């Protein structure tokens, strides 16, 4: 980002600087069913009604959750490894969480091939009512944690291959607690980075829910490092290296993520409608009591990290149901051919957006392609896109690693140099609240107070 861009479009945030982000505005409507040449994703008119019934099935069966012991301190875990702790959210609401399993029977899974159906796992985070007797949701299931322990060091070499009990960390949310009633709340969807599980977005999701949002964090099976399905199947990532080195693979990856977001949003709209929400909110159903009535489908936002940020920005362009989006450091172009050359812009960068888009990055993750694509989105969005930057940070600062890496260093499992390489030099006591604040205030400004 040039100095002119920073002066015009936003601030570079130092450790102590916190300010609101984003500028709003209503906008024009796009052409229905138009295919964008070179972008790979067409801009379409998306019906507000949910696609329910036989085409898509929704169950609430999640994997078998073994809750960590209440009050477990950071220290030696049950498996003999370090127990990590997530920072508490700052909002006034107690948290509930429910794990959902969505099946799209009309869409084959691109990573499994013909004869398959697409399955998506999601966690819904929400303000809870009575949480008595409800166990805290683990950060990861034991099986997912075992897979993550071997996968994470491959995608982030600074993460130690041993010494951490990844299954011992508890979230602050209570499993299937009844939702707090009395109002409908804005809904936010989260798409994680390429190769990352949805669990690495827990810090921000909990913060948003503690301030009144309903947040749905998605896994993209076959893309995420690991996804445990209700039948016990553990889907691991098909990626061997960086998907951006393979244009065809990257295109399939983003198109699949966009379809996953549409699937989840279709269901949320359906659950919130009087005709279907009540039927799906009965005792014995997976959906916690009151949750369907807490969803406001007129106030929907999407945010994501890395490839999830790409997904969030393009979903805003594609789907008029989405009122605002935040891209946490995702490229807005396809890879070039040969590798390293500038690639075609996604439509969101080529044409711009007419609704609020936050582009939130770090000073430690920059290259010419990043600068080119984000600058194009800002220039062509006519004031609807804003660019913010966190100083002393890098790519994984925008995930739960920001809170976890310092604990790994304190336990002697990584060096100070490795920590800086993973999450930058910024203190997590500053980076975690700053990231949470920027995302929360952006959506509160454009979707209304929860």
């Amino acid at each position: 980002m040039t100095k002119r861009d920073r002066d015009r479009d936003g601030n570079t945030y130092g450790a102590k600087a916190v300010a609101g982000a984003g500028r709003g505005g209503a906008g024009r409507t796009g052409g229905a069913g138009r295919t964008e040449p070179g972008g790979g994703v067409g801009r379409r008119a998306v019906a507000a009604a949910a696609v329910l019934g036989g085409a898509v099935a929704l169950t609430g069966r999640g994997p078998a959750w073994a809750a960590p012991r209440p009050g477990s301190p950071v220290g030696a875990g049950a498996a003999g490894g370090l127990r990590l702790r997530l920072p508490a959210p700052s909002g006034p609401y107690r948290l509930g969480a429910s794990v959902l399993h969505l099946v799209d029977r009309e869409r084959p899974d691109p990573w499994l091939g013909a004869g398959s159906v697409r399955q998506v796992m999601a966690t819904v985070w929400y303000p809870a009512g009575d949480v008595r007797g409800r166990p805290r949701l683990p950060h990861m299931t034991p099986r997912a944690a075992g897979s993550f322990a071997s996968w994470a060091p491959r995608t982030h070499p600074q993460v130690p291959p041993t010494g951490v009990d990844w299954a011992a960390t508890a979230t602050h949310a209570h499993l299937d607690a009844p939702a707090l009633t009395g109002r409908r709340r804005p809904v936010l969807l989260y798409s994680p980075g390429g190769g990352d599980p949805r669990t690495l977005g827990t810090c921000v999701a909990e913060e948003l829910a503690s301030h009144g949002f309903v947040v749905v964090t998605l896994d993209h099976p076959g893309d995420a490092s690991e996804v445990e399905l209700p039948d016990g199947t553990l889907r691991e990532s098909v990626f061997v290296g960086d998907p951006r080195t393979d244009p065809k693979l990257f295109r399939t990856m983003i198109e699949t993520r966009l379809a996953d977001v549409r699937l989840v949003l279709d269901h949320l709209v359906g659950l919130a409608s009087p005709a279907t929400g009540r039927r799906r909110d009965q005792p014995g159903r997976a959906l916690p009591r009151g949750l369907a009535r807490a969803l406001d489908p007129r106030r929907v936002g999407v945010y994501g990290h890395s490839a999830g940020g790409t997904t969030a920005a393009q979903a805003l362009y594609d789907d008029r149901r989405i009122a605002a989006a935040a891209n946490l450091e995702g490229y807005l172009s396809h890879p070039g051919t040969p590798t390293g050359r500038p690639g075609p812009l996604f439509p969101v960068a080529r044409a711009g957006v007419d609704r609020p888009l936050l582009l939130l990055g770090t000073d430690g993750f920059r290259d010419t392609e990043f600068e080119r694509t984000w600058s194009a989105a800002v220039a062509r969005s006519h004031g609807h896109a804003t660019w913010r930057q966190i100083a002393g940070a890098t790519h994984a600062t925008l995930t739960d690693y920001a809170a976890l890496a310092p604990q790994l260093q304190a336990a002697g499992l990584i060096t100070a140099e490795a920590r800086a390489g993973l999450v930058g030099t910024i203190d997590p006591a500053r980076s975690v609240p700053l990231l949470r604040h920027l995302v929360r205030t952006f959506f509160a400004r454009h979707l209304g107070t929860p």
Side-chain angles (χ1 to χ4, degrees):
M1 180 192 300
T2 65
K3 181 178 186 300
R4 182 187 65 182
D5 289 331
R6 284 194 296 267
D7 292 343
R8 182 186 63 206
D9 301 311
N11 298 324
T12 296
Y13 292 92
K16 296 182 180 179
V18 179
R23 290 192 294 268
R28 60 193 185 274
T29 57
R34 188 171 73 240
T35 299
E36 298 288 348
V41 182
R43 187 173 190 172
R44 68 197 64 177
V46 182
V51 180
L52 296 171
V56 188
L58 169 68
T59 77
R61 302 191 321 275
W65 296 97
R69 293 191 299 273
S72 296
V74 175
L82 178 70
R83 281 185 182 153
L84 301 169
R85 179 174 292 168
L86 297 172
S90 69
Y93 296 113
R94 293 171 295 190
L95 301 183
S98 187
V99 179
L100 299 180
H101 173 223
L102 286 79
V103 183
D104 187 344
R105 302 194 184 280
E106 293 189 344
R107 179 165 54 112
D109 189 307
W111 312 119
L112 296 178
S116 64
V117 295
R118 183 62 177 168
Q119 301 182 69
V120 174
M121 297 300 298
T123 301
V124 186
W125 309 82
Y126 53 90
D130 186 1
V131 300
R132 289 176 295 181
R134 303 286 180 170
R136 285 167 63 186
L137 182 74
H139 195 214
M140 301 181 190
T141 67
R143 289 195 70 206
S147 178
F148 179 83
S150 63
W151 179 268
R154 285 182 274 165
T155 55
H156 301 284
Q158 302 89 350
V159 176
T162 60
V164 181
D165 185 356
W166 294 103
T169 301
T171 71
H172 299 88
H174 298 266
L175 186 61
D176 291 332
L180 189 65
T181 58
R183 69 177 72 173
R184 289 195 179 269
R185 302 180 181 279
V187 179
L188 301 176
L189 278 63
Y190 171 76
S191 177
D196 282 347
R198 70 188 189 273
T199 48
L200 287 180
T202 299
C203 284
V204 172
E206 289 196 323
E207 176 73 3
L208 291 166
S210 79
H211 285 272
F213 292 91
V214 176
V215 184
V216 185
T217 56
L218 316 184
D219 261 332
H220 304 284
D223 176 333
S225 55
E226 74 287 327
V227 182
E228 188 172 357
L229 301 176
D231 64 1
T233 300
L234 189 69
R235 290 279 306 275
E236 295 187 312
S237 180
V238 301
F239 301 154
V240 176
D242 181 359
R244 282 192 64 82
T245 62
D246 183 334
K248 183 178 179 181
L249 180 71
F250 185 77
R251 184 181 296 272
T252 300
M253 172 188 180
I254 299 301
E255 290 178 346
T256 302
R257 284 165 165 263
L258 288 166
D260 290 346
V261 168
R262 289 193 298 272
L263 172 70
V264 175
L265 184 51
D266 286 344
H267 276 290
L268 295 176
V269 171
L271 292 172
S273 71
T276 59
R278 187 170 298 140
R279 177 173 59 83
R280 292 171 177 267
D281 190 16
Q282 297 292 327
R285 301 287 297 186
L287 200 66
R289 188 174 72 249
L291 182 55
R293 293 188 296 273
L295 305 174
D296 188 347
R298 299 167 302 175
R299 295 190 289 165
V300 174
V302 182
Y303 69 106
H305 173 244
S306 196
T310 307
T311 303
Q314 185 58 41
L316 175 70
Y317 181 91
D318 288 343
D319 196 327
R320 302 300 303 182
R321 295 174 296 180
I322 299 170
N327 173 2
L328 311 184
E329 217 156 57
Y331 287 97
L332 295 179
S333 66
H334 291 274
T337 304
T339 301
R341 293 182 60 85
L345 296 173
F346 278 96
V348 64
R350 189 169 63 248
V353 291
D354 57 8
R355 301 182 307 289
L357 172 63
L358 171 64
L359 302 172
L360 179 58
T362 67
D363 62 351
F365 188 79
R366 295 265 83 81
D367 61 26
T368 55
E369 186 67 357
F370 201 94
E371 299 280 343
R372 179 180 76 93
T373 66
W374 278 30
S375 295
V378 170
R380 293 161 186 169
S381 295
H382 307 290
H384 297 293
T386 45
W387 187 338
R388 300 287 187 255
Q389 183 170 284
I390 299 176
T394 190
H395 202 47
T397 310
L398 306 177
T399 71
D400 288 359
Y401 280 125
L404 303 180
Q407 298 174 55
L408 298 175
Q409 183 191 355
L413 294 176
I414 63 174
T415 65
E417 182 181 13
R419 170 186 161 178
L422 182 61
V423 296
T425 58
I426 187 171
D427 190 325
R430 294 171 176 173
S431 66
V432 173
L434 178 57
L435 173 62
R436 287 171 156 183
H437 174 87
L438 291 172
V439 175
R440 177 175 62 83
T441 55
F442 170 76
F443 284 117
R445 178 175 301 174
H446 298 297
L447 300 183
T449 302

